[in-house]
Each structure stands twice: as structure tokens, then as C-alpha cells.
Amino acid sequence: MKYLLLKHYRGAKPIDCAPMDQWTPDEVEAHLAFMGHVADQLRERGEFVDAQALSPEGTFVRFDGEGRPPVTDGPFAETKDLIAGWMVIDVDSVERAHEAAAFLSSAPGPGGVPIREWIEVRPFLEHRHTDPE
């Protein structure tokens, strides 16, 4: 079963962690290296599908009638709730997905302290077309 692990820009409680744009270059590099380490371990187990970090920029678009797609720079959630990135894994159970998410949550932040960020675990919706014949 495939799961989406969403990394959030929420306050990393119980540790009060500064936003990444306030980290030193070495702290950012250590964090990104850890993300690569997690991906490598998942690859070795045959569980890694893909991962991406996301830019804080973005737009909202919606259908508003023919020829009128409104594009806006909001409404955005507060910065603490924006999605920082994601990883897709293919594992045998939700328990394994939770285990992988907990490991991802232990990424180092300022001073090398694990940031204990919240990782949202979402299963992919599996729709199977059934042929009525």
C-alpha cells in the first residue's frame, strides 16, 4: 500500500524549533543529508517511491466559469501549516508507514537536535475499476 508522508511547517512541539530560513547553512545541510539517508534506507528495503521538498511560494487556482480561472496568492494557511515537502512510500502495513514517518520526524534541526516535526501519513486512495461484464 502506498502512503504519502507530508512534512509540515508546524511548530515542532515539544521542541521549539526556529524556521529553516533561520538555521545555519551547516544545520540545513545536516537536515537535508538526513532526508537523503532516510530515502536511501527506504530504497534498500524496496519501500521508497519518491520525495520532494516544496518551495514556500505558490498560487491558488480554481474553476470560476469558462475562460476565467482566477489565480491568487492566497488564501494561504498560516506559515506554520504549510507543507514543506513529501515522501511517497510503498509498505506492507500502516504500522510500517507510521514507523517510517517517525524516523523521518527525527531529522536534525538547529544544534543537531531532532526536530520531532509532525508527519502526516495519508494512504493513497485505491480505486479499482470493475467491469460489469
Side-chain angles (χ1 to χ4, degrees):
M1 176 131 203
K2 288 184 181 161
Y3 290 87
L4 177 65
L5 307 181
L6 289 172
K7 295 173 56 61
H8 287 272
Y9 285 125
R10 291 180 191 223
K13 304 298 181 197
I15 295 175
D16 188 20
C17 180
M20 189 179 274
D21 63 359
Q22 296 175 19
W23 298 6
T24 68
D26 287 344
E27 291 168 340
V28 171
E29 186 58 36
H31 183 83
L32 296 176
F34 182 83
M35 294 294 115
H37 172 69
V38 171
D40 288 343
Q41 286 200 337
L42 291 166
R43 262 187 214 95
E44 289 174 14
R45 294 177 63 118
E47 298 173 331
F48 181 82
V49 176
D50 195 13
Q52 295 292 324
L54 297 175
S55 167
E57 294 91 30
T59 57
F60 274 73
V61 178
R62 72 171 193 196
F63 177 77
D64 199 28
E66 288 301 320
R68 299 182 300 180
V71 176
T72 179
D73 64 355
F76 288 117
E78 292 182 41
T79 303
K80 66 182 179 181
D81 291 327
L82 293 176
I83 297 170
W86 51 267
M87 183 176 285
V88 177
I89 58 175
D90 190 352
V91 295
D92 293 330
S93 67
V94 69
E95 291 81 14
R96 175 64 189 129
H98 290 166
E99 182 181 279
F103 184 43
L104 192 61
S105 173
S106 71
V113 176
I115 60 175
R116 300 172 65 178
E117 69 183 321
W118 287 102
I119 306 293
E120 184 177 351
V121 178
R122 301 275 306 269
F124 277 44
L125 182 62
E126 292 189 15
H127 175 74
R128 291 183 173 80
H129 176 72
T130 56
D131 190 355
E133 294 180 25

